[in-house]
Amino acid sequence: MKKRGLSVKHVEEIKELLLANKQKIESVLERINGEYESLSEMDLNDEADFAAASRDYVTDVNIQKQQMAELAAINRALAKIASGAYDGLCEMCDSEITLARLRVKPHAVYCIDCRTYMDNKK
Ligand SMILES: [Zn+2]
């Protein structure tokens, strides 16, 4: 019987992608943190300056939230790979997540059908 899920070779490929994404996200988060520091050091006497700065801040906070959620998902996938439990199967319906999808979003835990279903439910 053929084992379901990703082959060892493909798991390796997904792992590489996860690690690359992780690095990318960490550098984005670092940049945002750096901006926070410079923001508090800035002299924002001008109301317009302040409005612009807080607008950027809100955008950054949203990016940061989204990136941190993605980082958590990536770490979860990496931990699963490390423990040998990673199979690339959907956590909802247990069908295989296509390799094409994993290449775009290596930390995906749901197949496209389940993802679409959940997005529509919101
Ligand atoms: Zn599914």
Side-chain angles (χ1 to χ4, degrees):
M1 203 175 99
K2 188 182 166 287
K3 190 179 155 286
R4 292 178 68 231
L6 290 177
S7 67
V8 175
K9 197 182 109 225
H10 284 144
V11 170
E12 257 328 288
E13 181 188 336
I14 298 306
K15 187 180 160 188
E16 289 304 313
L17 290 172
L18 285 165
L19 288 172
N21 282 355
K22 185 178 168 169
Q23 218 162 32
K24 229 185 297 170
I25 290 175
E26 278 170 350
S27 72
V28 169
L29 290 174
E30 232 166 79
R31 181 185 62 76
I32 291 175
N33 285 333
E35 278 172 10
Y36 284 165
E37 275 161 33
S38 59
L39 189 66
S40 54
E41 282 163 15
M42 249 192 286
D43 222 359
L44 297 171
N45 294 323
D46 195 313
E47 228 170 275
D49 275 359
F50 189 75
S54 23
R55 216 172 19 245
D56 286 349
Y57 180 81
V58 170
T59 312
D60 277 354
V61 167
N62 287 332
I63 294 173
Q64 194 181 26
K65 261 195 215 153
Q66 190 257 325
Q67 295 283 291
M68 280 168 83
E70 193 168 325
L71 189 62
I74 289 173
N75 283 331
R76 209 168 131 238
L78 284 170
K80 245 174 130 178
I81 291 175
S83 69
Y86 186 86
D87 48 17
L89 297 180
C90 174
E91 286 189 359
M92 190 111 104
C93 69
D94 213 34
S95 65
E96 291 183 21
I97 303 172
T98 62
L99 199 57
R101 173 163 162 73
L102 287 172
R103 279 180 175 140
V104 177
K105 193 180 170 188
H107 59 280
V109 291
Y110 301 118
C111 70
I112 194 73
D113 289 343
C114 293
R115 182 76 258 176
T116 308
Y117 171 74
M118 278 194 292
D119 284 347
N120 289 339
K121 219 166 50 168
K122 266 183 222 163

